[in-house]
Amino acid sequence: MTITEKILARACGKDEVRPGDFVNARLDLALANDITAPLAIKEFEAAGIEKVWDPKKVVLVCDHFVPNKDIKSAEQAKLVRDFARRQGLANFFDVGRMGIEHVILPEKGLVVSGDVVIGADSHTCTYGALGAFATGVGSTDLAAGMATGEVWLRVPETIRFNFEGEPGRFVTGKDYILYVIGMIGVDGALYEAMEFGGEAIRSLSMDGRFTICNMAIEAGGKSGIVEPDEATAEYCRGRALREPVMMKSDDGARYARVIDIDVSTIEPQVAKPHLPSNTVPASALADLKIDQVVIGSCTNGRIEDLRMAAEVLRGRKVHPDVRTLVFPGSQQVYKQAMKEGLIDVFIDAEVAVSTPTCGPCLGGHMGILAAGERCVSTTNRNFVGRMGHTESEVYLAGPYVAAATAIAGRVAVPEEVTA
Amino acid sequence: MIFEGTAHKYGRDVDTDVIIPARYLNTHDPDELAAHCMEDIDGDFISRVRPGDIIVAEENFGCGSSREQAPVAIKAAGVSCVVATSFARIFYRNAINIGLPILVCPEAARETESGDLLRVDLEKGEVVNLTKSKSYQADRFPEFMQEIVAAGGLMNHVKKRKQSGGANA
């Protein structure tokens, strides 16, 4: 069996499951945010259910439209706040304690290897980096999960991606995953689990692995996963609230496909509008003038991402025509960035640093684009209207390219601005 | 259940951001959401759509965000069902869970044009293009999902299972 099949078999009390089987899996965690929880709460209460199945395992995070961006958002967030208090939820994260959901859940040790997690947010697949099965669902699925502690799932086929070779100096996990999405397309892994392995994955930090698994959904994947190793164990030590269960795919595991990738051939990538699969090497866009740069999000808002951005920005100033925004993914990331002097680097470079929020990534608030404006962003989607006006454009990239672009005022790679 | 309505045809990879842009997610009221349905891909949609109309699209309909507000907006706009070559998985689950009928029917999706009159027989899984006088057979839902549909959506299914002691109550 693959690691995904093993996790699901364990969660439904079976010795073996096969792709295509329908199972009821026990949940280790169920998550929603201030956009998806209100509908889930409405469904939950309309069904006449009084108590969530386990107040320690239902996690609510206000991160999308908070700090409250307008009156309607405030009303929706209040619904979530009231529900969390009424239900006595142990893990409710709000302004001041919150971060972006997919940054803080691993950080606080709430998700561990071997878990089955659903979240009413498509980027819940991020937690696969820990060797957990995690997938995004809608609000009604989440309501059912909150009520029963179970979710029905079809056991997915798995595509195995082997990353080998030595990456270039400024090539990151973001470039790996953009490259893969460019290769297989936005529905290239539809309904399937994407298992990422090989030497180049094992030598990636946990932050890099989170970035890769985060974007499995952009290839249509049900989940992304990395088999746990010493780096996973090290990450879990001292923070995991439960004992991690570390599994691996068997040697004879059946894969729908195996795709080998030589990372030494991958250049820093950019996904052009309006699909994450529309990738080209950043060097191919060198004349493209940019109005805004966003560094942050559940994809690239972790400390390593901010270190990469600061490495390029240190001692330099961003281009006068570029508005540059940095969103640390959590309070802890923010504090660590302060300790390391990264916030000084950003402010000296004339970059705006914000409290954590998903805000600009989905065109919510804090960085909306006007018609004709272009943004290079370390986020995960570049759909029509994603970050503002339908005639604005989002180019997806990793933190190195984003920071270099902010300095150059056009799409750039770090070598061009640090030489 | 049989639906008859005019087709509104779209291409591939219609994402949930264009079905209901995030700037309107500060509410979960179905009618408010419906007023902005398909706004960023088809600005006139909401003024053209009539009760019973059918959305037809190619591959990967509903990709992107998990927002259930997308099928909620489509349903509240009066659309009777969505026929597509394929659906993104979260949208697929959400549609079943909230009782928005969807059909996977690649041939019908490919050959239908905007303005065609369609008739869909949900039990038979049949799509008939009355304008072009052609009929197509859609894929059947797996049995597991038929149970959810028969129960009247996921929450009713959960209630039934809780009552019979089938889930960790």
Side-chain angles (χ1 to χ4, degrees):
Chain A
M1 287 191 285
T2 65
I3 177 173
T4 300
E5 291 156 13
K6 287 184 182 179
I7 293 170
L8 292 178
R10 180 171 172 269
C12 69
K14 290 185 177 159
D15 294 333
E16 193 182 357
V17 296
R18 288 165 179 274
D21 289 355
F22 284 89
V23 299
N24 261 319
R26 280 187 305 275
L27 292 171
D28 295 293
L29 219 61
L31 160 78
N33 59 52
D34 55 309
I35 297 298
T36 58
L39 258 179
I41 293 165
K42 189 175 132 190
E43 289 291 328
F44 183 90
E45 293 183 337
I49 299 159
E50 283 172 11
K51 280 286 176 194
V52 298
W53 113 92
D54 186 336
K56 290 192 289 298
K57 294 183 178 176
V58 174
V59 182
L60 296 181
V61 184
C62 289
D63 58 0
H64 277 60
F65 289 173
V66 304
N68 301 349
K69 82 176 182 93
D70 53 31
I71 293 169
K72 282 183 172 180
S73 302
E75 296 290 342
Q76 286 213 128
K78 185 169 185 299
L79 250 167
V80 181
R81 291 166 179 142
D82 290 348
F83 180 81
R85 287 179 194 122
R86 208 158 57 237
Q87 293 285 338
L89 300 187
N91 295 298
F92 167 59
F93 300 101
D94 203 347
V95 175
R97 280 166 299 142
M98 67 84 169
I100 295 171
E101 49 195 340
H102 309 309
V103 176
I104 61 170
L105 265 60
E107 183 183 279
K108 293 186 181 298
L110 288 165
V111 184
V112 302
S113 313
D115 277 359
V116 172
V117 179
I118 58 168
D121 186 280
S122 60
H123 293 108
T124 301
C125 52
T126 307
Y127 316 134
L130 291 161
F133 175 86
T135 193
V137 296
S139 297
T140 300
D141 265 322
L142 199 273
M146 291 199 299
T148 64
E150 291 182 354
V151 64
W152 70 266
L153 295 165
R154 181 185 163 279
V155 178
E157 288 80 13
T158 296
I159 307 178
R160 168 85 185 189
F161 296 86
N162 289 314
F163 291 77
E164 305 293 348
E166 190 69 31
R169 166 77 179 85
F170 294 110
V171 174
T172 67
K174 182 65 166 283
D175 303 299
Y176 293 2
I177 190 63
L178 285 176
Y179 182 83
V180 164
I181 298 163
M183 177 193 283
I184 67 172
V186 289
D187 62 351
L190 196 58
Y191 301 100
E192 294 174 303
M194 300 171 78
E195 185 179 305
F196 305 105
E199 192 45 46
I201 296 294
R202 280 192 296 276
S203 55
L204 268 186
S205 67
M206 288 307 295
D207 284 2
R209 298 178 192 185
F210 284 123
T211 300
I212 291 182
C213 290
N214 172 271
M215 289 189 73
I217 179 69
E218 308 322 328
K222 182 172 205 152
S223 55
I225 198 160
V226 175
E227 293 162 288
D229 60 10
E230 187 41 48
T232 325
E234 177 59 33
Y235 183 89
C236 289
R237 251 192 294 278
R239 69 175 93 215
L241 301 177
R242 282 169 284 117
E243 191 59 37
V245 180
M246 299 200 174
M247 289 178 247
K248 276 192 181 326
S249 294
D250 294 326
D251 287 340
R254 282 183 306 269
Y255 293 105
R257 279 195 284 167
V258 177
I259 296 175
D260 295 314
I261 293 160
D262 176 1
V263 300
S264 69
T265 65
I266 300 179
E267 286 183 53
Q269 301 283 301
V270 174
K272 298 190 294 178
H274 289 286
L275 285 176
S277 57
N278 204 6
T279 52
V280 291
S283 55
L285 297 173
D287 295 327
L288 201 69
K289 208 181 147 297
I290 297 297
D291 304 288
Q292 177 170 292
V293 167
V294 170
I295 298 168
S297 84
C298 60
T299 312
N300 281 122
R302 299 181 182 80
I303 190 66
E304 185 183 82
D305 302 310
L306 301 196
R307 286 178 190 143
M308 290 178 193
E311 184 187 330
V312 177
L313 290 165
R314 190 179 302 276
R316 301 186 172 84
K317 288 203 189 303
V318 300
H319 191 279
D321 296 340
V322 179
R323 314 181 295 270
T324 306
L325 307 157
V326 167
F327 295 84
S330 70
Q331 292 287 75
Q332 194 178 313
V333 170
Y334 204 141
K335 198 170 167 185
Q336 184 63 28
M338 279 179 46
K339 262 191 206 159
E340 295 181 18
L342 310 185
I343 304 298
D344 283 338
V345 171
F346 296 140
I347 291 173
D348 291 345
E350 298 178 348
V351 169
V353 183
S354 162
T355 192
T357 176
C358 308
C361 171
L362 74 164
H365 59 150
M366 301 289 288
I368 306 300
L369 300 173
E373 288 192 325
R374 290 197 193 104
C375 178
V376 164
S377 180
T378 68
T379 54
N380 42 54
R381 289 190 177 129
N382 55 355
F383 300 148
V384 171
R386 174 72 180 181
M387 207 177 259
H389 197 281
T390 53
E391 287 164 30
S392 63
E393 294 184 339
V394 178
Y395 293 75
L396 305 175
Y400 280 132
V401 170
T405 298
I407 294 167
R410 55 174 179 79
V411 175
V413 290
E415 289 92 333
E416 295 177 64
V417 297
T418 57
Chain B
M1 247 188 294
I2 294 174
F3 308 113
E4 211 170 281
T6 302
H8 300 259
K9 174 73 185 283
Y10 302 95
R12 55 170 303 147
D13 305 320
V14 174
D15 61 76
T16 54
D17 274 270
V18 294
I19 296 172
I20 182 73
R23 58 186 178 273
Y24 303 119
L25 296 184
N26 55 7
T27 176
H28 55 282
D29 176 73
D31 293 329
E32 276 189 66
L33 292 166
H36 302 287
C37 185
M38 308 303 273
E39 186 170 297
D40 282 0
I41 190 174
D42 182 1
D44 297 333
F45 174 79
I46 206 65
S47 61
R48 290 197 325 272
V49 68
R50 296 287 167 263
D53 278 4
I54 293 167
I55 287 180
V56 181
E58 294 172 7
E59 289 87 353
N60 205 24
F61 186 83
C63 64
S65 154
S66 69
R67 62 189 70 160
E68 198 164 290
Q69 288 88 340
V72 166
I74 290 173
K75 193 179 176 191
V79 171
S80 62
C81 79
V82 184
V83 177
T85 306
S86 63
F87 291 90
R89 61 164 287 276
I90 305 177
F91 184 93
Y92 184 95
R93 288 182 75 110
N94 288 347
I96 288 172
N97 288 344
I98 68 155
L100 170 70
I102 53 173
L103 288 170
V104 176
C105 192
E107 274 193 294
R110 193 169 50 240
E111 295 179 2
T112 300
E113 294 172 87
S114 276
D116 287 356
L117 189 63
L118 301 185
R119 188 171 64 214
V120 171
D121 184 326
L122 211 55
E123 273 74 48
K124 289 190 194 156
E126 188 187 48
V127 180
V128 181
N129 187 322
L130 298 167
T131 306
K132 292 187 162 61
S133 305
K134 282 196 82 170
S135 75
Y136 311 91
Q137 186 61 44
D139 295 354
R140 283 183 66 75
F141 287 129
E143 205 175 315
F144 192 92
M145 281 177 227
Q146 287 183 33
E147 280 177 33
I148 294 172
V149 174
L154 183 65
M155 290 315 283
N156 286 329
H157 185 65
V158 164
K159 266 198 286 186
K160 250 168 70 178
R161 288 188 64 233
K162 273 180 97 82
Q163 280 156 11
S164 65
N168 310 335

